[in-house]
PDB file of all heavy atoms in Angstrom:
ATOM      1  N   GLY A   1       0.757  -1.202   0.028  1.00 88.00           N
ATOM      2  CA  GLY A   1       0.052  -0.054  -0.034  1.00 88.00           C
ATOM      3  C   GLY A   1       0.780   1.247  -0.017  1.00 88.00           C
ATOM      4  O   GLY A   1       0.655   2.242  -0.688  1.00 88.00           O
ATOM      5  N   ILE A   2       1.924   1.277   0.770  1.00 90.00           N
ATOM      6  CA  ILE A   2       2.756   2.499   0.810  1.00 90.00           C
ATOM      7  C   ILE A   2       3.427   2.657  -0.436  1.00 90.00           C
ATOM      8  O   ILE A   2       3.545   3.841  -0.934  1.00 90.00           O
ATOM      9  CB  ILE A   2       3.785   2.256   1.907  1.00 90.00           C
ATOM     10  CG1 ILE A   2       3.207   2.328   3.296  1.00 90.00           C
ATOM     11  CG2 ILE A   2       4.903   3.389   1.860  1.00 90.00           C
ATOM     12  CD1 ILE A   2       4.100   2.076   4.536  1.00 90.00           C
ATOM     13  N   GLY A   3       3.964   1.694  -0.994  1.00 87.00           N
ATOM     14  CA  GLY A   3       4.643   1.640  -2.449  1.00 87.00           C
ATOM     15  C   GLY A   3       3.696   2.242  -3.489  1.00 87.00           C
ATOM     16  O   GLY A   3       4.132   3.037  -4.344  1.00 87.00           O
ATOM     17  N   HIS A   4       2.396   1.843  -3.328  1.00 85.00           N
ATOM     18  CA  HIS A   4       1.451   2.110  -4.516  1.00 85.00           C
ATOM     19  C   HIS A   4       1.174   3.705  -4.384  1.00 85.00           C
ATOM     20  O   HIS A   4       0.902   4.306  -5.299  1.00 85.00           O
ATOM     21  CB  HIS A   4       0.136   1.375  -4.272  1.00 85.00           C
ATOM     22  CG  HIS A   4      -0.746   1.430  -5.541  1.00 85.00           C
ATOM     23  ND1 HIS A   4      -1.779   0.633  -5.690  1.00 85.00           N
ATOM     24  CD2 HIS A   4      -0.626   2.084  -6.681  1.00 85.00           C
ATOM     25  CE1 HIS A   4      -2.385   0.864  -6.813  1.00 85.00           C
ATOM     26  NE2 HIS A   4      -1.622   1.797  -7.390  1.00 85.00           N
ATOM     27  N   MET A   5       1.115   4.178  -3.067  1.00 86.00           N
ATOM     28  CA  MET A   5       0.744   5.639  -2.877  1.00 86.00           C
ATOM     29  C   MET A   5       2.026   6.569  -2.993  1.00 86.00           C
ATOM     30  O   MET A   5       1.791   7.584  -3.585  1.00 86.00           O
ATOM     31  CB  MET A   5       0.116   5.749  -1.462  1.00 86.00           C
ATOM     32  CG  MET A   5      -1.285   5.240  -1.468  1.00 86.00           C
ATOM     33  SD  MET A   5      -2.091   5.538   0.156  1.00 86.00           S
ATOM     34  CE  MET A   5      -1.331   4.158   1.209  1.00 86.00           C
ATOM     35  N   VAL A   6       3.078   6.129  -2.489  1.00 84.00           N
ATOM     36  CA  VAL A   6       4.248   7.124  -2.564  1.00 84.00           C
ATOM     37  C   VAL A   6       5.114   6.733  -3.689  1.00 84.00           C
ATOM     38  O   VAL A   6       5.948   5.927  -3.654  1.00 84.00           O
ATOM     39  CB  VAL A   6       5.127   6.929  -1.251  1.00 84.00           C
ATOM     40  CG1 VAL A   6       6.305   7.814  -1.163  1.00 84.00           C
ATOM     41  CG2 VAL A   6       4.194   7.080   0.069  1.00 84.00           C
ATOM     42  N   GLY A   7       4.824   7.433  -4.774  1.00 75.00           N
ATOM     43  CA  GLY A   7       5.537   7.178  -5.986  1.00 75.00           C
ATOM     44  C   GLY A   7       5.713   8.471  -6.714  1.00 75.00           C
ATOM     45  O   GLY A   7       6.442   9.370  -6.187  1.00 75.00           O
ATOM     46  N   ALA A   8       5.159   8.572  -7.902  1.00 66.00           N
ATOM     47  CA  ALA A   8       5.357   9.779  -8.744  1.00 66.00           C
ATOM     48  C   ALA A   8       4.817  11.027  -8.082  1.00 66.00           C
ATOM     49  O   ALA A   8       5.332  12.091  -8.297  1.00 66.00           O
ATOM     50  CB  ALA A   8       4.741   9.509 -10.077  1.00 66.00           C
ATOM     51  N   GLY A   9       3.807  10.945  -7.330  1.00 71.00           N
ATOM     52  CA  GLY A   9       3.086  11.935  -6.699  1.00 71.00           C
ATOM     53  C   GLY A   9       4.041  12.774  -5.809  1.00 71.00           C
ATOM     54  O   GLY A   9       4.056  13.982  -5.814  1.00 71.00           O
ATOM     55  N   ILE A  10       4.879  12.135  -4.989  1.00 77.00           N
ATOM     56  CA  ILE A  10       5.737  12.853  -4.108  1.00 77.00           C
ATOM     57  C   ILE A  10       6.736  13.655  -4.729  1.00 77.00           C
ATOM     58  O   ILE A  10       7.193  14.697  -4.288  1.00 77.00           O
ATOM     59  CB  ILE A  10       6.361  11.874  -3.117  1.00 77.00           C
ATOM     60  CG1 ILE A  10       6.838  12.598  -1.871  1.00 77.00           C
ATOM     61  CG2 ILE A  10       7.473  10.958  -3.759  1.00 77.00           C
ATOM     62  CD1 ILE A  10       5.947  13.053  -0.923  1.00 77.00           C
ATOM     63  N   TYR A  11       7.234  13.269  -5.988  1.00 75.00           N
ATOM     64  CA  TYR A  11       8.309  13.922  -6.580  1.00 75.00           C
ATOM     65  C   TYR A  11       7.825  14.936  -7.700  1.00 75.00           C
ATOM     66  O   TYR A  11       8.547  15.827  -8.150  1.00 75.00           O
ATOM     67  CB  TYR A  11       9.260  12.965  -7.259  1.00 75.00           C
ATOM     68  CG  TYR A  11       9.882  12.039  -6.225  1.00 75.00           C
ATOM     69  CD1 TYR A  11       9.458  10.743  -6.067  1.00 75.00           C
ATOM     70  CD2 TYR A  11      10.972  12.415  -5.485  1.00 75.00           C
ATOM     71  CE1 TYR A  11      10.057   9.856  -5.075  1.00 75.00           C
ATOM     72  CE2 TYR A  11      11.680  11.697  -4.470  1.00 75.00           C
ATOM     73  CZ  TYR A  11      11.177  10.416  -4.384  1.00 75.00           C
ATOM     74  OH  TYR A  11      11.762   9.554  -3.446  1.00 75.00           O
ATOM     75  N   VAL A  12       6.574  14.719  -8.089  1.00 70.00           N
ATOM     76  CA  VAL A  12       6.024  15.615  -9.189  1.00 70.00           C
ATOM     77  C   VAL A  12       4.932  16.488  -8.694  1.00 70.00           C
ATOM     78  O   VAL A  12       5.013  17.768  -8.929  1.00 70.00           O
ATOM     79  CB  VAL A  12       5.496  14.783 -10.370  1.00 70.00           C
ATOM     80  CG1 VAL A  12       4.838  15.663 -11.494  1.00 70.00           C
ATOM     81  CG2 VAL A  12       6.562  13.796 -11.000  1.00 70.00           C
ATOM     82  N   LEU A  13       3.949  15.967  -8.067  1.00 77.00           N
ATOM     83  CA  LEU A  13       2.835  16.676  -7.542  1.00 77.00           C
ATOM     84  C   LEU A  13       3.209  17.694  -6.530  1.00 77.00           C
ATOM     85  O   LEU A  13       2.563  18.743  -6.500  1.00 77.00           O
ATOM     86  CB  LEU A  13       1.878  15.771  -6.863  1.00 77.00           C
ATOM     87  CG  LEU A  13       0.518  16.250  -6.479  1.00 77.00           C
ATOM     88  CD1 LEU A  13      -0.274  16.684  -7.687  1.00 77.00           C
ATOM     89  CD2 LEU A  13      -0.369  15.220  -5.713  1.00 77.00           C
ATOM     90  N   THR A  14       4.127  17.477  -5.594  1.00 83.00           N
ATOM     91  CA  THR A  14       4.456  18.378  -4.455  1.00 83.00           C
ATOM     92  C   THR A  14       4.949  19.752  -5.104  1.00 83.00           C
ATOM     93  O   THR A  14       4.452  20.696  -4.560  1.00 83.00           O
ATOM     94  CB  THR A  14       5.585  17.809  -3.616  1.00 83.00           C
ATOM     95  OG1 THR A  14       5.197  16.463  -3.174  1.00 83.00           O
ATOM     96  CG2 THR A  14       5.957  18.644  -2.517  1.00 83.00           C
ATOM     97  N   GLY A  15       5.793  19.785  -5.979  1.00 81.00           N
ATOM     98  CA  GLY A  15       6.417  21.015  -6.583  1.00 81.00           C
ATOM     99  C   GLY A  15       5.321  21.768  -7.304  1.00 81.00           C
ATOM    100  O   GLY A  15       5.279  22.972  -7.175  1.00 81.00           O
ATOM    101  N   THR A  16       4.436  21.139  -8.027  1.00 79.00           N
ATOM    102  CA  THR A  16       3.361  21.861  -8.768  1.00 79.00           C
ATOM    103  C   THR A  16       2.325  22.462  -7.854  1.00 79.00           C
ATOM    104  O   THR A  16       2.023  23.666  -7.944  1.00 79.00           O
ATOM    105  CB  THR A  16       2.608  20.744  -9.653  1.00 79.00           C
ATOM    106  OG1 THR A  16       3.520  20.252 -10.576  1.00 79.00           O
ATOM    107  CG2 THR A  16       1.502  21.459 -10.457  1.00 79.00           C
ATOM    108  N   VAL A  17       1.952  21.756  -6.736  1.00 83.00           N
ATOM    109  CA  VAL A  17       0.908  22.381  -5.908  1.00 83.00           C
ATOM    110  C   VAL A  17       1.567  23.458  -4.999  1.00 83.00           C
ATOM    111  O   VAL A  17       0.918  24.564  -4.837  1.00 83.00           O
ATOM    112  CB  VAL A  17       0.361  21.231  -4.972  1.00 83.00           C
ATOM    113  CG1 VAL A  17      -0.639  21.812  -3.876  1.00 83.00           C
ATOM    114  CG2 VAL A  17      -0.395  20.095  -5.736  1.00 83.00           C
ATOM    115  N   ALA A  18       2.871  23.233  -4.544  1.00 84.00           N
ATOM    116  CA  ALA A  18       3.408  24.263  -3.799  1.00 84.00           C
ATOM    117  C   ALA A  18       3.601  25.634  -4.538  1.00 84.00           C
ATOM    118  O   ALA A  18       3.356  26.765  -4.046  1.00 84.00           O
ATOM    119  CB  ALA A  18       4.748  23.805  -3.280  1.00 84.00           C
ATOM    120  N   LYS A  19       3.982  25.512  -5.710  1.00 81.00           N
ATOM    121  CA  LYS A  19       4.264  26.786  -6.450  1.00 81.00           C
ATOM    122  C   LYS A  19       3.002  27.485  -7.086  1.00 81.00           C
ATOM    123  O   LYS A  19       2.852  28.696  -7.016  1.00 81.00           O
ATOM    124  CB  LYS A  19       5.304  26.491  -7.642  1.00 81.00           C
ATOM    125  CG  LYS A  19       5.673  27.761  -8.427  1.00 81.00           C
ATOM    126  CD  LYS A  19       6.695  27.570  -9.490  1.00 81.00           C
ATOM    127  CE  LYS A  19       7.038  28.822 -10.217  1.00 81.00           C
ATOM    128  NZ  LYS A  19       8.051  28.671 -11.116  1.00 81.00           N
ATOM    129  N   GLU A  20       2.180  26.583  -7.631  1.00 79.00           N
ATOM    130  CA  GLU A  20       1.054  27.112  -8.494  1.00 79.00           C
ATOM    131  C   GLU A  20      -0.239  27.332  -7.648  1.00 79.00           C
ATOM    132  O   GLU A  20      -1.190  27.934  -8.052  1.00 79.00           O
ATOM    133  CB  GLU A  20       0.809  26.246  -9.597  1.00 79.00           C
ATOM    134  CG  GLU A  20       2.056  26.327 -10.486  1.00 79.00           C
ATOM    135  CD  GLU A  20       1.727  25.355 -11.737  1.00 79.00           C
ATOM    136  OE1 GLU A  20       0.670  24.770 -11.889  1.00 79.00           O
ATOM    137  OE2 GLU A  20       2.734  25.263 -12.513  1.00 79.00           O
ATOM    138  N   ILE A  21      -0.421  26.610  -6.490  1.00 80.00           N
ATOM    139  CA  ILE A  21      -1.794  26.650  -5.747  1.00 80.00           C
ATOM    140  C   ILE A  21      -1.614  27.125  -4.381  1.00 80.00           C
ATOM    141  O   ILE A  21      -2.234  28.087  -3.940  1.00 80.00           O
ATOM    142  CB  ILE A  21      -2.311  25.166  -5.782  1.00 80.00           C
ATOM    143  CG1 ILE A  21      -2.544  24.719  -7.208  1.00 80.00           C
ATOM    144  CG2 ILE A  21      -3.643  25.206  -5.070  1.00 80.00           C
ATOM    145  CD1 ILE A  21      -3.052  23.373  -7.320  1.00 80.00           C
ATOM    146  N   ALA A  22      -0.838  26.404  -3.474  1.00 80.00           N
ATOM    147  CA  ALA A  22      -0.951  26.459  -2.015  1.00 80.00           C
ATOM    148  C   ALA A  22       0.321  27.171  -1.398  1.00 80.00           C
ATOM    149  O   ALA A  22       0.143  27.611  -0.227  1.00 80.00           O
ATOM    150  CB  ALA A  22      -1.307  25.214  -1.393  1.00 80.00           C
ATOM    151  N   GLY A  23       1.457  27.187  -2.052  1.00 79.00           N
ATOM    152  CA  GLY A  23       2.576  27.707  -1.357  1.00 79.00           C
ATOM    153  C   GLY A  23       2.953  26.920  -0.101  1.00 79.00           C
ATOM    154  O   GLY A  23       2.711  25.731  -0.132  1.00 79.00           O
ATOM    155  N   PRO A  24       3.416  27.509   0.913  1.00 81.00           N
ATOM    156  CA  PRO A  24       3.652  26.748   2.139  1.00 81.00           C
ATOM    157  C   PRO A  24       2.536  26.131   2.776  1.00 81.00           C
ATOM    158  O   PRO A  24       2.635  25.188   3.503  1.00 81.00           O
ATOM    159  CB  PRO A  24       4.288  27.925   3.025  1.00 81.00           C
ATOM    160  CG  PRO A  24       4.801  28.933   2.178  1.00 81.00           C
ATOM    161  CD  PRO A  24       3.845  28.869   1.028  1.00 81.00           C
ATOM    162  N   TRP A  25       1.318  26.583   2.479  1.00 84.00           N
ATOM    163  CA  TRP A  25       0.146  26.025   2.963  1.00 84.00           C
ATOM    164  C   TRP A  25      -0.058  24.607   2.342  1.00 84.00           C
ATOM    165  O   TRP A  25      -1.165  23.906   2.640  1.00 84.00           O
ATOM    166  CB  TRP A  25      -1.108  26.826   2.633  1.00 84.00           C
ATOM    167  CG  TRP A  25      -1.115  28.219   3.281  1.00 84.00           C
ATOM    168  CD1 TRP A  25      -0.746  29.369   2.748  1.00 84.00           C
ATOM    169  CD2 TRP A  25      -1.334  28.527   4.682  1.00 84.00           C
ATOM    170  NE1 TRP A  25      -0.853  30.389   3.785  1.00 84.00           N
ATOM    171  CE2 TRP A  25      -1.222  29.819   4.894  1.00 84.00           C
ATOM    172  CE3 TRP A  25      -1.638  27.574   5.760  1.00 84.00           C
ATOM    173  CZ2 TRP A  25      -1.408  30.415   6.158  1.00 84.00           C
ATOM    174  CZ3 TRP A  25      -1.942  28.133   6.984  1.00 84.00           C
ATOM    175  CH2 TRP A  25      -1.736  29.536   7.170  1.00 84.00           C
ATOM    176  N   ILE A  26       0.802  24.146   1.584  1.00 87.00           N
ATOM    177  CA  ILE A  26       0.652  22.757   1.014  1.00 87.00           C
ATOM    178  C   ILE A  26       0.670  21.710   2.114  1.00 87.00           C
ATOM    179  O   ILE A  26       0.001  20.635   1.983  1.00 87.00           O
ATOM    180  CB  ILE A  26       1.812  22.440  -0.020  1.00 87.00           C
ATOM    181  CG1 ILE A  26       1.649  21.072  -0.570  1.00 87.00           C
ATOM    182  CG2 ILE A  26       3.174  22.508   0.749  1.00 87.00           C
ATOM    183  CD1 ILE A  26       2.612  20.770  -1.813  1.00 87.00           C
ATOM    184  N   ILE A  27       1.202  22.040   3.330  1.00 88.00           N
ATOM    185  CA  ILE A  27       1.202  21.107   4.401  1.00 88.00           C
ATOM    186  C   ILE A  27      -0.261  20.868   4.822  1.00 88.00           C
ATOM    187  O   ILE A  27      -0.702  19.806   5.031  1.00 88.00           O
ATOM    188  CB  ILE A  27       1.939  21.665   5.582  1.00 88.00           C
ATOM    189  CG1 ILE A  27       3.477  21.865   5.147  1.00 88.00           C
ATOM    190  CG2 ILE A  27       1.859  20.707   6.791  1.00 88.00           C
ATOM    191  CD1 ILE A  27       4.318  22.490   6.240  1.00 88.00           C
ATOM    192  N   MET A  28      -1.093  22.023   4.903  1.00 88.00           N
ATOM    193  CA  MET A  28      -2.465  21.837   5.283  1.00 88.00           C
ATOM    194  C   MET A  28      -3.234  21.120   4.193  1.00 88.00           C
ATOM    195  O   MET A  28      -4.123  20.289   4.466  1.00 88.00           O
ATOM    196  CB  MET A  28      -3.054  23.227   5.527  1.00 88.00           C
ATOM    197  CG  MET A  28      -2.609  23.890   6.643  1.00 88.00           C
ATOM    198  SD  MET A  28      -2.867  23.018   8.246  1.00 88.00           S
ATOM    199  CE  MET A  28      -4.720  23.008   8.227  1.00 88.00           C
ATOM    200  N   SER A  29      -2.895  21.316   2.960  1.00 87.00           N
ATOM    201  CA  SER A  29      -3.557  20.621   1.794  1.00 87.00           C
ATOM    202  C   SER A  29      -3.383  19.184   1.933  1.00 87.00           C
ATOM    203  O   SER A  29      -4.311  18.350   1.807  1.00 87.00           O
ATOM    204  CB  SER A  29      -2.977  21.198   0.439  1.00 87.00           C
ATOM    205  OG  SER A  29      -3.346  22.551   0.260  1.00 87.00           O
ATOM    206  N   PHE A  30      -2.144  18.678   2.148  1.00 89.00           N
ATOM    207  CA  PHE A  30      -1.930  17.314   2.373  1.00 89.00           C
ATOM    208  C   PHE A  30      -2.611  16.674   3.570  1.00 89.00           C
ATOM    209  O   PHE A  30      -3.066  15.514   3.551  1.00 89.00           O
ATOM    210  CB  PHE A  30      -0.397  17.091   2.491  1.00 89.00           C
ATOM    211  CG  PHE A  30       0.223  16.775   1.089  1.00 89.00           C
ATOM    212  CD1 PHE A  30       1.233  17.632   0.601  1.00 89.00           C
ATOM    213  CD2 PHE A  30      -0.193  15.678   0.239  1.00 89.00           C
ATOM    214  CE1 PHE A  30       1.816  17.459  -0.674  1.00 89.00           C
ATOM    215  CE2 PHE A  30       0.471  15.671  -0.958  1.00 89.00           C
ATOM    216  CZ  PHE A  30       1.479  16.323  -1.404  1.00 89.00           C
ATOM    217  N   MET A  31      -2.658  17.517   4.618  1.00 89.00           N
ATOM    218  CA  MET A  31      -3.398  16.997   5.833  1.00 89.00           C
ATOM    219  C   MET A  31      -4.837  16.807   5.590  1.00 89.00           C
ATOM    220  O   MET A  31      -5.425  15.859   5.908  1.00 89.00           O
ATOM    221  CB  MET A  31      -3.258  18.013   6.963  1.00 89.00           C
ATOM    222  CG  MET A  31      -1.872  17.988   7.600  1.00 89.00           C
ATOM    223  SD  MET A  31      -1.727  19.116   8.971  1.00 89.00           S
ATOM    224  CE  MET A  31      -0.041  18.844   9.624  1.00 89.00           C
ATOM    225  N   LEU A  32      -5.451  17.844   4.886  1.00 87.00           N
ATOM    226  CA  LEU A  32      -6.977  17.663   4.611  1.00 87.00           C
ATOM    227  C   LEU A  32      -7.119  16.462   3.617  1.00 87.00           C
ATOM    228  O   LEU A  32      -8.150  15.718   3.780  1.00 87.00           O
ATOM    229  CB  LEU A  32      -7.372  19.064   3.909  1.00 87.00           C
ATOM    230  CG  LEU A  32      -7.550  20.186   4.908  1.00 87.00           C
ATOM    231  CD1 LEU A  32      -8.014  21.426   4.240  1.00 87.00           C
ATOM    232  CD2 LEU A  32      -8.491  19.840   6.052  1.00 87.00           C
ATOM    233  N   ALA A  33      -6.354  16.415   2.548  1.00 86.00           N
ATOM    234  CA  ALA A  33      -6.538  15.291   1.655  1.00 86.00           C
ATOM    235  C   ALA A  33      -6.332  14.001   2.323  1.00 86.00           C
ATOM    236  O   ALA A  33      -7.015  13.034   2.004  1.00 86.00           O
ATOM    237  CB  ALA A  33      -5.503  15.524   0.468  1.00 86.00           C
ATOM    238  N   GLY A  34      -5.343  13.953   3.211  1.00 88.00           N
ATOM    239  CA  GLY A  34      -5.060  12.607   3.857  1.00 88.00           C
ATOM    240  C   GLY A  34      -6.224  12.324   4.820  1.00 88.00           C
ATOM    241  O   GLY A  34      -6.618  11.183   4.873  1.00 88.00           O
ATOM    242  N   ALA A  35      -6.781  13.311   5.478  1.00 87.00           N
ATOM    243  CA  ALA A  35      -7.990  13.017   6.337  1.00 87.00           C
ATOM    244  C   ALA A  35      -9.179  12.443   5.465  1.00 87.00           C
ATOM    245  O   ALA A  35      -9.874  11.533   5.929  1.00 87.00           O
ATOM    246  CB  ALA A  35      -8.361  14.326   7.090  1.00 87.00           C
ATOM    247  N   ALA A  36      -9.397  13.192   4.414  1.00 84.00           N
ATOM    248  CA  ALA A  36     -10.525  12.757   3.441  1.00 84.00           C
ATOM    249  C   ALA A  36     -10.298  11.307   2.954  1.00 84.00           C
ATOM    250  O   ALA A  36     -11.124  10.432   2.887  1.00 84.00           O
ATOM    251  CB  ALA A  36     -10.687  13.604   2.258  1.00 84.00           C
ATOM    252  N   SER A  37      -9.107  10.966   2.642  1.00 87.00           N
ATOM    253  CA  SER A  37      -8.655   9.597   2.149  1.00 87.00           C
ATOM    254  C   SER A  37      -8.774   8.591   3.394  1.00 87.00           C
ATOM    255  O   SER A  37      -9.204   7.496   2.986  1.00 87.00           O
ATOM    256  CB  SER A  37      -7.238   9.547   1.632  1.00 87.00           C
ATOM    257  OG  SER A  37      -7.064  10.509   0.546  1.00 87.00           O
ATOM    258  N   MET A  38      -8.473   8.920   4.550  1.00 89.00           N
ATOM    259  CA  MET A  38      -8.565   8.051   5.682  1.00 89.00           C
ATOM    260  C   MET A  38      -9.993   7.648   5.983  1.00 89.00           C
ATOM    261  O   MET A  38     -10.217   6.511   6.291  1.00 89.00           O
ATOM    262  CB  MET A  38      -8.008   8.748   6.910  1.00 89.00           C
ATOM    263  CG  MET A  38      -7.993   7.885   8.133  1.00 89.00           C
ATOM    264  SD  MET A  38      -6.983   6.469   8.035  1.00 89.00           S
ATOM    265  CE  MET A  38      -5.381   6.939   8.442  1.00 89.00           C
ATOM    266  N   LEU A  39     -10.965   8.487   5.668  1.00 89.00           N
ATOM    267  CA  LEU A  39     -12.393   8.266   5.893  1.00 89.00           C
ATOM    268  C   LEU A  39     -12.736   7.073   4.944  1.00 89.00           C
ATOM    269  O   LEU A  39     -13.452   6.120   5.406  1.00 89.00           O
ATOM    270  CB  LEU A  39     -13.309   9.521   5.607  1.00 89.00           C
ATOM    271  CG  LEU A  39     -13.094  10.585   6.600  1.00 89.00           C
ATOM    272  CD1 LEU A  39     -13.885  11.849   6.055  1.00 89.00           C
ATOM    273  CD2 LEU A  39     -13.548  10.222   7.934  1.00 89.00           C
ATOM    274  N   ALA A  40     -12.308   7.173   3.636  1.00 87.00           N
ATOM    275  CA  ALA A  40     -12.601   6.100   2.675  1.00 87.00           C
ATOM    276  C   ALA A  40     -11.715   4.813   3.217  1.00 87.00           C
ATOM    277  O   ALA A  40     -12.330   3.761   2.992  1.00 87.00           O
ATOM    278  CB  ALA A  40     -12.277   6.560   1.322  1.00 87.00           C
ATOM    279  N   ALA A  41     -10.638   4.971   3.523  1.00 88.00           N
ATOM    280  CA  ALA A  41      -9.656   3.893   3.937  1.00 88.00           C
ATOM    281  C   ALA A  41     -10.358   3.086   5.069  1.00 88.00           C
ATOM    282  O   ALA A  41     -10.194   1.835   5.065  1.00 88.00           O
ATOM    283  CB  ALA A  41      -8.272   4.403   4.217  1.00 88.00           C
ATOM    284  N   LEU A  42     -10.932   3.734   6.029  1.00 90.00           N
ATOM    285  CA  LEU A  42     -11.512   2.980   7.131  1.00 90.00           C
ATOM    286  C   LEU A  42     -12.716   2.174   6.613  1.00 90.00           C
ATOM    287  O   LEU A  42     -12.878   0.955   7.160  1.00 90.00           O
ATOM    288  CB  LEU A  42     -12.024   4.029   8.163  1.00 90.00           C
ATOM    289  CG  LEU A  42     -10.876   4.735   8.932  1.00 90.00           C
ATOM    290  CD1 LEU A  42     -11.563   5.785   9.880  1.00 90.00           C
ATOM    291  CD2 LEU A  42     -10.115   3.883   9.831  1.00 90.00           C
ATOM    292  N   CYS A  43     -13.480   2.699   5.708  1.00 89.00           N
ATOM    293  CA  CYS A  43     -14.666   1.860   5.148  1.00 89.00           C
ATOM    294  C   CYS A  43     -14.026   0.579   4.448  1.00 89.00           C
ATOM    295  O   CYS A  43     -14.550  -0.421   4.464  1.00 89.00           O
ATOM    296  CB  CYS A  43     -15.388   2.743   4.201  1.00 89.00           C
ATOM    297  SG  CYS A  43     -16.236   4.095   5.055  1.00 89.00           S
TER     298      CYS A  43
END
């Protein structure tokens, strides 16, 4: 599961979101996205 999730996204997505969308607030973006994903993961 970890290998499937931590791949291209960590090296490509992080830079794009930080520069073009959220800046340093990308930390909060990943927290919110992780919380939403955890809800589905529990199910």
Side-chain angles (χ1 to χ4, degrees):
I2 294 174
H4 197 172
M5 286 184 280
V6 182
I10 196 73
Y11 298 101
V12 178
L13 186 66
T14 303
T16 302
V17 175
K19 181 174 183 177
E20 300 177 0
I21 302 177
W25 294 105
I26 187 175
I27 297 175
M28 293 298 299
S29 295
F30 270 118
M31 286 182 178
L32 290 176
S37 300
M38 181 63 82
L39 295 175
L42 291 174
C43 297

